[in-house]
Amino acid sequence: MIETTARPARRESAHFEIGYTRYLDPDGKLVAPLPPGLADPVRAIALYSALVRARSFDQKAVAMQRTGRLGTYASSLGQEAVAVGAASAMRPEDVFVPSFREHAGQLVRGVTPRELFLYWGGDERGNDFSGPREDLPNCVPIGSHAAHAAGVALAFRLRREPRAVVAIFGDGATSKGDVAEAFNFAGVWKLPVVFVISNNQWAISVPRRNQSAAETLAQKAIAAGIPGEQVDGNDVFAVHAAVAAALERARAGGGTSVIEAVTYRLGDHTTADDASRYRNDAEVKAHWQEEPIKRLEAYLVALGRWGKDDQERLLQETKAEIDAASAAYLATAPQALATIFDFTYANMPADLQRQKDGALASAATTPVKG
Amino acid sequence: MSEINLVQAVNLALARAMADDEKVLVLGQDIGINGGVFRATDGLLKRFGEDRVRDTPLAEAMIGGISIGLALQGFRPVAEIQFSGFIYPCIDQLANHASRFRTRTRGRLSCPMVLRAPCSGGTKALEHHSESNEAMFTNIPGLRVVIPSSPKMAYGLLLAAIRDPDPVVFLEPTRLYRAVSEEVVDDGTALPLDRCFVRREGTDLTLIAWGAMVREALESAQQLEARGVSAEVIDVATLKPLDEATLVASVQKTGRCVIVQEAPLSGGYGGEIAARIADGAFSSLLAPIQRVTGYDTVMPLSRLEQIYLPKAASVTTAAERAMVYA
Ligand SMILES: Cc1ncc(C[n+]2csc(CCOP(=O)(O)OP(=O)(O)O)c2C)c(N)n1
Ligand SMILES: [Mg+2]
C-alpha cells in the first residue's frame, strides 16, 4: 500500500491574484485619484450624458414593448457603465463585438437610436447601422461571438494594424466553451483583444454562484495566460480606465486582457421575463444604491460642474432625441418581401430566384399580414 | 375535467414521469425556480427537489454531455435546451456520442435521454429563437426525433420518449404552446413512437404535416371540404424512425398528397417523406407529390416572419394543384 499522506514539500509553480479597481464609490466620492484624461470634467460630463442617453433609450424601448410596438427587449438598466465605459475607450477604427445587452455601447459607437429600435422591432436593417461599419451586430447565441473577436484581432495582427477589438459578454457566457476557447486562442497569440465580462450577477434566473465555483470570473483569464482583473462595473471611470489601458497594451503588441466588470442587472432579464419569480426585491433594492448614474451625478454636482439646469436640459434633449427616433422607427415601413431572399447569397442562385418569384406571385394573390 | 395547453401538457408529462420513476431527472437552463422560460418545468423543483431538478450553467454542449453521463449510469435525464436555435453546440454530443453508444458497445451501454427544445416560428421572437431544424436530427442514426402538435400528443409522446431506451430529440413548437387547450387525461398512458397519426380521414388527398404545420393542414382540410375535396390529414409526429406504412397506405388510398413543413425546402424532412411515398405508392399516385415549405432563407426577424411561414391557404392552393390531375 502506498502511504498517501507523506508527500515532499511542494514549491509554488504558479502564482496569481486578481485585483479590483474602483475610483468612484456609490456615493460619488473619489476613492482614488483619476487618471489624467478622466479628471477633466468635460470628459466626465460626456460619460454622464452617454449613461443618461442609454437609460433613456432603455426606458423608451421597454415602454414601447409594453404597448406592442417593439419586440422582446433586453434592458441594460443598472449596467450601462460597462458598455459606455468600454466603448468610450475605443477608437473609431477599433471593432466592437457586443452581446445583446450593450446598446449603451452601441450608442457611444454611433449606432443611432432609430437603428436600435429597428433591430429590436424585428427589422434586419437595424444591423446595417451607421456606427463603425466593421462593428459586429448583436450576438444572441450566448458567448459564440468571443471567438469572432479573436478572429478579428488576428486579422489586425496579420495586417500589422494598430487596431484592437472589444468584446462584451455576460457572466453566463463565461460558462460556454466558446469563451474559454477564445481566451485560449487569443492568449497563445497575444492578440489585440479586450474581453469584457459584464457580470450582472444573473443569467436569467441562474445566479452568479451557480454559474461557476470560481471566486472571480476574471481568473478564467489566468488559465489562458491572459491577465485578468475586476473593476467596479458601476463606476464608468473604472471601466473606461481599465479598457483604455488594455487597449493601449493590445495596440502595442502586449496582448489580450480580460476585464470583469462587476455590476448588477436591475431589471428583468428581458421584457419576456419576470424576475420576481427567482430573486427578491430586497436584493434589487440594495443594488439600486450602487447604480452608475446617481454616483456620477453626485460627483459632478460636488465638483460644482453640474446643476439642476444642466440636468433638466440633458433630460429634455435626450428625451427629444429618443422620441424622435422612436417616431422615425414607427414610420419606417417594413422591408419588401423580396428582401428575405436578397441577402442570402452574394449572387442570387437560380434555385432561390425561383422561390422568390413564387413568393412574389403568391403574395400578389394572397396578401399576408406582417 | 379541466383543459390544458401544450406547455402544460409537457409539464404534466414531466411530473408524471418523475413521480413514476425516480431515475427521471430534469436539467437545463432556468428550469428550476424559474420553471423554464416557457414554464414547462414549473413546480417541478418544489415537488421533486434539487437533486432531480437542476439548473445548469449556460453551456449546451455540457448539458448534452452531462445527460449522456447520467444516462449511461441508468438515470433518465430530460434536459431542456432553451430554444432549438441554441442546440448546435450540443450536436457533437448527440451525433458523436448519445446516438452511438449502443452500437459502439454492441448494446453494453446506451443513452436513454431526452433533449427537449422549443422550436419554430410565429411568435415574433428574437433572432435564433424561431428555428425549424428538425431535419438535422433526422439524419443522425440512433436518434429519435419527435414533434408533438397538440396537448394530448405532447403528453403521450413525451412520456413515450422518456420511457424509451434510446436518445430522443423532442421538439416543441412554441406557437402551439398556448394556442389551444384540450382535455388531457393524466393516467400515464404513453402514445406509441414510430407512428404517424391520422388526424382526419379523407378520400381525395393526403395532407402530411408535423408540429405547428398540422394546424395549417387541418385548416386547409376544412377549406378543401368547402370546395368538395375530402382531405386526409396525417400528423407525422415521430419523424424518426418514420412510420412509412401509414403514409404510404393513405396515399395508396387517396392517390394525391401535399407535404407541409415549416423548415426551409432544401434538405427538409418533407423530401424524405416524398421519396418514401414516390417509392411505396408509385402505382397509386394520380398527381405529382406537392410540397409546401419555408423558403431557403434565413428565418426573417419578426416584421417579415409571417411572409416566411407556410399557411393553410398555400396548402389549399397546392392541394388544388394536385386535384387538377384527374
Ligand atoms: C447559447 C445560448 N443558450 C441560451 C440562450 C438563452 N439565453 C439568452 S440570455 C441568457 C442568459 C445570459 O446570461 P449572461 O451571459 O450572464 O448575460 P446577461 O443576460 O446577464 O446579460 C440565456 C440563457 C442563448 N441566447 N444562447
Ligand atoms: Mg448576466
Side-chain angles (χ1 to χ4, degrees), chain A residues 72 119 121-124 140-141 172 175-176 203-205 211 277-278 332 335 337 339-341 352 355 359 369, chain B residues 30 33-34 39 42 57-60 82 86 126-129 265 295-297 300-304 306-307 311:
Chain A
T72 301
Y119 172 78
D123 189 319
E124 288 83 354
V140 172
S175 295
K176 283 277 303 277
I204 310 189
S205 71
Q211 204 61 244
R277 288 176 67 90
Y278 53 79
T332 307
Q335 301 169 94
L337 183 168
T339 60
I340 78 171
F341 299 92
L352 194 56
Q355 296 180 34
K369 282 177 266 131
Chain B
D30 306 290
I33 185 167
N34 198 33
R39 310 291 177 248
D42 198 17
L58 203 168
E60 284 73 14
Q82 207 160 80
F86 305 133
L126 294 174
E127 285 185 283
H128 311 282
H129 288 67
L265 169 71
Y295 302 114
D296 284 334
T297 66
L301 294 189
S302 60
R303 270 186 157 187
L304 295 183
Q306 289 301 325
I307 284 169
K311 296 280 164 43

Side-chain angles (χ1 to χ4, degrees), chain A residues 170-172 198-204:
Chain A
D171 42 307
S198 184
N199 173 6
N200 63 4
Q201 313 303 331
W202 293 91
I204 310 189

Side-chain angles (χ1 to χ4, degrees), chain A residues 14-100:
Chain A
H15 176 85
F16 69 88
E17 58 178 37
I18 299 294
Y20 175 94
T21 303
R22 161 191 278 178
Y23 295 98
L24 203 56
D25 76 7
D27 297 327
K29 294 205 176 55
L30 278 185
V31 293
L34 285 173
L38 292 173
D40 178 358
V42 175
R43 260 334 258 299
I45 289 170
L47 290 171
Y48 179 73
S49 306
L51 292 174
V52 168
R53 186 165 172 246
R55 187 165 294 183
S56 165
F57 174 83
D58 230 59
Q59 284 165 345
K60 185 76 181 179
V62 171
M64 286 174 53
Q65 191 282 333
R66 297 276 184 248
T67 49
R69 291 172 298 164
L70 203 70
T72 301
Y73 176 74
S75 152
S76 72
L77 182 65
Q79 53 188 93
E80 298 92 342
V82 178
V84 166
S88 60
M90 298 173 68
R91 293 179 185 164
E93 69 270 23
D94 294 336
V95 166
F96 188 49
V97 183
S99 180
F100 61 92

